[in-house]
Amino acid sequence: MAVNLDKALVREKIAKRAEREIENGFYVNLGIGMPTMVANYIQEDKEIVLQSENGLVGIGRSPYENEVDPDLINAGKETVTAAVGASYCSSAESFAMIRGEHLDLAILGGMEVSETGNLANWMIPGKMIKGMGGAMDIVHGAKKIVIIMDHVNKHGEPKILKECSLPLTGEGVVDRIITDRAVIDVTDNGLVLVEVAEGWTVQEVVEATGAHLQVSENLLSATF
Amino acid sequence: MMKTIYTSFEEAVKDIKDYSTIMVGGFGLVGIPENLILALVESKVKHLTVISNNCGVDDWGLGLLLENKQIDKMIGSYVGENKEFERQVLAGELEVELTPQGTLAERIRAGGAGIPAFYTPAGVGTPIAEGKEVRNFDGKDYLMVTGLKADFSLVRAAKGDRLGNLVYNKTARNFNPEIAAAGTTTIAEVEELVDAGTLDPDHIHTPGIYVQGLIEGKQEKRIERLTLRREA
């Protein structure tokens, strides 16, 4: 039985599930868009540090009007505050800590992911190229890369494929995919379905996936 | 006086000639040398190669140089905030070299640090790997990319002293320190110019050795995406 939730609810559901990837003590980079929403759901018992690639280690909450500093933004160019214990650095140092794999986790958006963990999320041929920003660096930079996205595109076609059709952001970089319907791990032996979302069956998830999906022996159902 | 202290922005940019390569600090509109850019617009210098993470917005920052058709080539990582940029690229009026943001930052750092090229994993297996050397270290592929230098670097700092030492504010630091080091001539627009000895040597972000000229200016500091916390 397929579920129909409105778009905002679907995004919230994915963001809340993605939050569970964040462990106490983690340094985390959240991509622009839906990944940024994950910050809204971080459990209060976790002490974590959010890194922003424009040179802020320790993103705080959004500012009240009287706290706005035009010199203080996140990578999405939104005004933010600095968390208690935050530090600033230059862009080169920020990406050095990314490239040097000092981040525990990065949660990014995706257009397509392949069965070998290739990610496409920066350009659609024929549309104006806006640029990759920091995505190509970040996918090589965190110990774990989690992609969050809808399971299918607006035409109902799978976004998880044998091969990406769009130009790549990185090759073999994705560790885990979280969609509105499932959690799928990218392993050396291919894609493994580890969780199915509430309201979806294994069969429905398999049919909506454009690559071979093994079902984990420890599959969990209705986890989110 | 070791450093030139300019009294007008017009004078500060007067040596920047047609066909110069310039680097400009900033991430989005944060930390951009607003008044130096405005002076370049006024100077009508043309055929510039501009190295900067972004290209401003349609009516502010580097977007003003673009609108005036003063830029021939742009090297950056994200140019999506600018409709005129798209129009000029599609019309073949503007050449663009997109570089991953971290690679861009490191290319600039390398340029200022005397490193001609380095290897990075960013971009392996993607369209930007085309034409670049790939080399395997410890079982992983890396792309060779080259360092970047500029004839002129334009940066913005919160404070600068008369010996060129600079201190930045919060995320307005971004690309500015590395850009300051990568320019043959670096001009710093500072919010406040202070006497030597005023800044704590332990707190200086850019040592004055990288800076040739300074000018004090007042910035608008436009905000691209005002995001506020909702009252509980």
Side-chain angles (χ1 to χ4, degrees), chain A:
Chain A
M1 130 202 105
V3 260
N4 275 314
L5 295 172
D6 89 34
K7 236 179 167 173
L9 278 175
V10 169
R11 287 164 68 88
E12 185 179 322
K13 181 172 119 161
I14 298 172
K16 281 182 172 167
R17 175 58 191 82
E19 187 276 336
R20 292 191 220 157
E21 301 296 312
I22 303 176
E23 294 174 28
N24 193 30
F26 266 20
Y27 286 86
V28 183
N29 182 289
L30 299 175
I32 293 162
M34 183 160 59
T36 302
M37 285 174 54
V38 176
N40 300 336
Y41 304 108
I42 293 166
Q43 302 293 311
E44 281 183 13
D45 57 349
K46 290 180 193 170
E47 192 177 33
I48 65 143
V49 178
L50 296 176
Q51 196 257 16
S52 192
E53 63 265 29
N54 57 317
L56 169 57
V57 187
I59 309 173
R61 57 169 172 75
S62 300
Y64 288 116
E65 204 153 7
N66 62 357
E67 294 173 322
V68 170
D69 184 335
D71 283 343
L72 182 46
I73 60 167
N74 64 16
K77 305 187 178 99
E78 299 166 333
T79 48
V80 292
T81 59
V84 172
S87 62
Y88 300 107
C89 60
S90 72
S91 298
E93 175 150 12
S94 176
F95 279 97
M97 68 180 72
I98 290 169
R99 210 182 294 105
E101 293 190 20
H102 300 280
L103 294 176
D104 297 290
L105 172 70
I107 301 175
L108 305 171
M111 293 176 186
E112 294 176 346
V113 178
S114 83
E115 62 183 5
T116 56
N118 294 349
L119 171 69
N121 75 351
W122 74 286
M123 73 172 282
I124 300 173
K127 287 201 177 178
M128 178 60 192
I129 300 173
K130 294 183 168 196
M132 66 293 280
M136 285 189 184
D137 308 274
I138 294 169
V139 293
H140 289 281
K143 294 185 184 87
K144 185 173 184 183
I145 302 291
V146 173
I147 300 302
I148 61 175
M149 63 183 190
D150 291 328
H151 205 94
V152 298
N153 66 23
K154 62 183 175 196
H155 308 296
E157 298 155 349
K159 294 174 63 155
I160 302 166
L161 304 162
K162 274 191 87 60
E163 292 282 346
C164 294
S165 65
L166 297 169
L168 296 185
T169 306
E171 222 173 35
V173 291
V174 178
D175 295 299
R176 174 167 273 196
I177 310 160
I178 298 174
T179 74
D180 52 319
R181 304 181 188 183
V183 177
I184 295 168
D185 282 342
V186 181
T187 73
D188 292 341
N189 302 315
L191 299 174
V192 178
L193 179 63
V194 291
E195 289 180 36
V196 175
E198 201 180 328
W200 296 92
T201 65
V202 169
Q203 188 56 32
E204 285 167 342
V205 170
V206 168
E207 281 169 10
T209 303
H212 180 65
L213 202 53
Q214 302 166 62
V215 179
S216 165
E217 286 173 13
N218 306 313
L219 178 80
L220 300 170
S221 292
T223 48
F224 64 108

Side-chain angles (χ1 to χ4, degrees), chain A residues 32 52-57 61-80 82 87-96 99 101 118-119 122-123 126-141 166-173, chain B residues 27-31 53-54 76-81 85-87 89-90 96 98-106 109 118-128 140-141 156 158 169-178 191 220-232:
Chain A
I32 293 162
S52 192
E53 63 265 29
N54 57 317
L56 169 57
V57 187
R61 57 169 172 75
S62 300
Y64 288 116
E65 204 153 7
N66 62 357
E67 294 173 322
V68 170
D69 184 335
D71 283 343
L72 182 46
I73 60 167
N74 64 16
K77 305 187 178 99
E78 299 166 333
T79 48
V80 292
S87 62
Y88 300 107
C89 60
S90 72
S91 298
E93 175 150 12
S94 176
F95 279 97
R99 210 182 294 105
E101 293 190 20
N118 294 349
L119 171 69
W122 74 286
M123 73 172 282
K127 287 201 177 178
M128 178 60 192
I129 300 173
K130 294 183 168 196
M132 66 293 280
M136 285 189 184
D137 308 274
I138 294 169
V139 293
H140 289 281
L166 297 169
L168 296 185
T169 306
E171 222 173 35
V173 291
Chain B
F27 178 92
L29 298 179
V30 172
N53 188 51
N54 314 96
S77 87
Y78 187 81
V79 291
E81 315 288 357
F85 194 96
E86 176 169 1
R87 194 200 64 72
V89 172
L90 292 175
V96 56
L98 290 170
T99 301
Q101 195 174 133
T103 300
L104 178 67
E106 191 63 15
R109 198 196 73 81
F118 59 95
Y119 292 90
T120 176
V124 170
T126 78
I128 66 143
K140 187 172 169 177
D141 283 340
R156 212 221 34 236
N169 185 41
K170 304 189 173 79
T171 56
R173 190 184 317 183
N174 56 66
F175 285 82
N176 281 298
E178 282 77 23
E191 293 169 46
E220 281 188 28
K221 297 194 181 180
R222 289 195 194 175
I223 294 173
E224 273 183 88
R225 297 205 176 91
L226 181 65
T227 305
L228 297 173
R229 182 181 170 91
R230 284 185 226 111
E231 300 289 338

Side-chain angles (χ1 to χ4, degrees), chain B residues 131-199:
Chain B
K132 293 190 178 73
E133 181 194 321
V134 176
R135 192 160 159 190
N136 192 287
F137 295 94
D138 296 328
K140 187 172 169 177
D141 283 340
Y142 296 81
L143 290 186
M144 191 187 81
V145 292
T146 53
L148 289 169
K149 290 189 217 177
D151 301 315
F152 293 89
S153 281
L154 307 180
V155 299
R156 212 221 34 236
K159 287 183 181 177
D161 72 18
R162 287 171 188 282
L163 290 174
N165 296 306
L166 303 178
V167 173
Y168 306 97
N169 185 41
K170 304 189 173 79
T171 56
R173 190 184 317 183
N174 56 66
F175 285 82
N176 281 298
E178 282 77 23
I179 285 183
T184 303
T185 300
T186 293
I187 303 160
E189 171 177 339
V190 299
E191 293 169 46
E192 191 186 351
L193 186 64
V194 299
D195 285 332
T198 311
L199 302 173

Side-chain angles (χ1 to χ4, degrees), chain B residues 15-23 47-49 51 148-154 182-187 212:
Chain B
D15 291 334
I16 303 179
K17 304 288 188 235
D18 291 357
Y19 297 97
S20 292
T21 293
I22 64 168
M23 280 186 195
H47 302 296
L48 295 171
T49 292
I51 301 166
L148 289 169
K149 290 189 217 177
D151 301 315
F152 293 89
S153 281
L154 307 180
T184 303
T185 300
T186 293
I187 303 160
Q212 280 69 45

